[in-house]
């Protein structure tokens, strides 16, 4: 479980939608030079603007640091040093819903995150 994810309601490790939503996210913006240096080079975009986004033969993409199978079991290869935008992403928030919908994952039964993050 992600440390921000109440395990009784959000299982981020069976989703991964936020890490496969779009190529221009996550972008680096609030990280210090030291924080950016901690992210292994193979996971950083060529233009150094954010995380590298790998696209497969079918045209589907995902963060290069995302491991596993979307919608089944995923993890983050750089979780301990992930960018700030990834740290700020909260399970069940509007961005989570947007990413889940875009990838065809259900959102109807997700509880209100304000109950947990209020």
């Amino acid at each position: 479980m992600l440390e921000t994810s109440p395990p009784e309601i959000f299982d981020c490790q069976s989703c991964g939608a936020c890490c496969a939503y779009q190529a221009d996210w996550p972008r680096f913006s609030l990280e210090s030079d030291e924080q950016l240096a901690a992210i292994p080079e193979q996971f950083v975009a060529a233009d150094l603007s954010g995380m590298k986004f790998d696209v497969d033969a079918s045209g589907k993409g995902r963060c290069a640091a995302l491991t596993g199978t979307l919608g089944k079991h995923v993890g983050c290869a750089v979780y301990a040093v992930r960018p700030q935008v990834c740290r700020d992403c909260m399970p069940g928030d509007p961005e989570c819903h947007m990413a889940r919908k875009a990838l065809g994952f259900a959102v109807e039964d997700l509880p209100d995150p304000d109950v947990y993050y209020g």
Side-chain angles (χ1 to χ4, degrees):
M1 296 277 57
L2 297 177
E3 64 193 33
T4 58
S5 174
E8 66 277 8
I9 61 161
F10 292 105
D11 185 4
C12 293
Q13 289 182 326
S14 68
C15 182
C18 59
C19 302
Y21 176 60
Q22 59 184 357
D24 62 352
W25 189 91
R27 286 287 186 226
F28 300 145
S29 60
L30 302 174
E31 295 78 13
S32 67
D33 289 340
E34 293 79 23
Q35 289 170 312
L36 293 174
I39 300 171
E41 191 176 309
Q42 73 262 29
F43 299 119
V44 177
D47 65 1
L48 307 178
S49 63
M51 296 297 288
K52 182 178 176 187
F53 197 78
D54 290 333
V55 179
D56 65 19
S58 70
K60 294 181 180 179
R62 61 196 279 162
C63 176
L66 185 66
T67 63
T69 304
L70 282 172
K72 294 189 189 255
H73 184 67
V74 295
C76 178
V78 297
Y79 187 78
V81 295
R82 69 197 183 281
Q84 188 62 46
V85 68
C86 300
R87 294 174 186 277
D88 291 343
C89 186
M90 300 306 278
D93 70 8
E95 290 78 14
C96 170
H97 279 239
M98 183 172 50
R100 288 179 62 88
K101 285 179 186 176
L103 293 175
F105 296 168
V107 295
E108 296 78 27
D109 295 330
L110 293 177
D112 181 357
D114 290 338
V115 170
Y116 296 91
Y117 309 121

